[in-house]
């Protein structure tokens, strides 16, 4: 009985994912490469110093350098997808988790805007983050 319940649960969960993901590649890439740390609602994990994406998007997109920073964070720039897919993923993420105001003002990333910052990451992205926000990654967790 326990086994049957487990199987039904698996079918239900994966059946649902399957149906909704086929049409949406950025969503599938988010699930594969980001959700494990950032969560299904982009909520992050304070315990593990993973920032909430809504706050990150709002904070960084107001700076021209912040637009590049979102591409340069290690987990983003090193994700195993090509520039166009990464642009699509960031655009999806901003539409999904960004505030209404950001969504109205934001010009979607083009693939051509991804390659340069992706290849030329600053040696220390955490320092760049601190410069842009005045805060280190760990201090934001308790704010
Ligand atoms: C292994 C866990 C992990 C995975 C997987 C991961 N991230 Fe992150 N992410 C982090 C951590 C931790 C930070 C904080 C920055 C740092 O540590 O340099 C971060 C920072 C970010 C930031 C900048 C937020 C800020 O406040 O500095 C964005 C945007 C982001 N991640 C998006 C993504 C996307 C998109 C993916 C998938 C392609 C992804 N992350 C995958 C852990 C992860």
């Amino acid at each position: 009985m326990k086994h049957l319940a487990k199987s039904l649960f698996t079918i239900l969960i994966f059946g649902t994912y399957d149906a909704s993901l086929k049409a949406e590649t950025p969503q599938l890439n988010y699930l594969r490469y980001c959700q494990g740390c950032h969560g299904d609602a982009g909520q992050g994990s304070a315990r593990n110093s993973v920032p909430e994406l809504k706050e990150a998007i709002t904070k960084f997109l107001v700076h021209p350098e912040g637009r590049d920073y979102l591409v340069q964070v290690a987990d983003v720039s090193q994700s195993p997808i090509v520039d166009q897919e990464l642009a699509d993923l960031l655009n999806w993420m901003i539409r999904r988790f960004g505030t209404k105001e950001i969504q109205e003002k934001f010009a979607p990333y083009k693939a051509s805007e991804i390659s340069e910052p992706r290849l030329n990451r600053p040696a220390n992205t955490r320092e760049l983050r601190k410069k842009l926000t005045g805060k280190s990654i760990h201090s934001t967790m308790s704010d």
Side-chain angles (χ1 to χ4, degrees):
M1 186 61 200
K2 207 172 162 191
H3 187 72
L4 179 67
K6 200 176 164 193
S7 305
L8 285 174
F9 180 71
T10 309
I11 291 165
L12 189 73
I13 295 295
F14 290 101
T16 312
Y17 270 149
D18 221 28
S20 63
L21 289 173
K22 266 179 196 143
E24 189 61 279
T25 306
Q27 188 183 354
L28 178 58
N29 284 335
Y30 181 82
L31 175 65
R32 275 188 183 141
Y33 305 122
C34 322
Q35 187 167 315
C37 293
H38 287 281
D40 61 342
Q43 72 273 29
S45 157
R47 195 180 48 173
N48 299 313
S49 300
V50 181
E52 189 196 354
L53 289 176
K54 186 177 197 159
E55 196 204 348
I57 291 164
T58 313
K59 246 184 341 207
F60 295 108
L61 282 178
V62 295
H63 291 275
E65 267 185 285
R67 199 173 158 95
D68 283 353
Y69 169 80
L70 291 187
V71 178
Q72 291 171 325
V73 188
D75 41 303
V76 178
S77 79
Q78 316 299 99
S79 61
I81 51 180
V82 299
D83 292 346
Q84 182 63 62
E85 288 172 308
L86 188 51
D88 293 344
L89 172 53
L90 289 173
N91 294 336
W92 177 86
M93 181 186 84
I94 288 155
R95 278 196 303 274
R96 174 86 173 72
F97 303 123
T99 58
K100 204 166 170 253
E101 201 196 344
I102 284 292
Q103 296 192 19
E104 280 162 10
K105 290 187 187 156
F106 168 70
Y109 284 96
K110 298 189 191 102
S112 56
E113 280 179 278
I114 301 289
S115 24
E116 202 278 329
R118 196 179 195 186
L119 285 173
N120 297 298
R121 297 180 62 227
N124 192 338
T125 47
R126 288 191 167 180
E127 273 307 308
L128 173 59
R129 179 186 209 283
K130 203 170 167 188
K131 190 183 123 195
L132 295 173
T133 64
K135 288 175 185 167
S136 75
I137 188 74
H138 298 293
S139 67
T140 56
M141 296 303 138
S142 52
D143 287 348

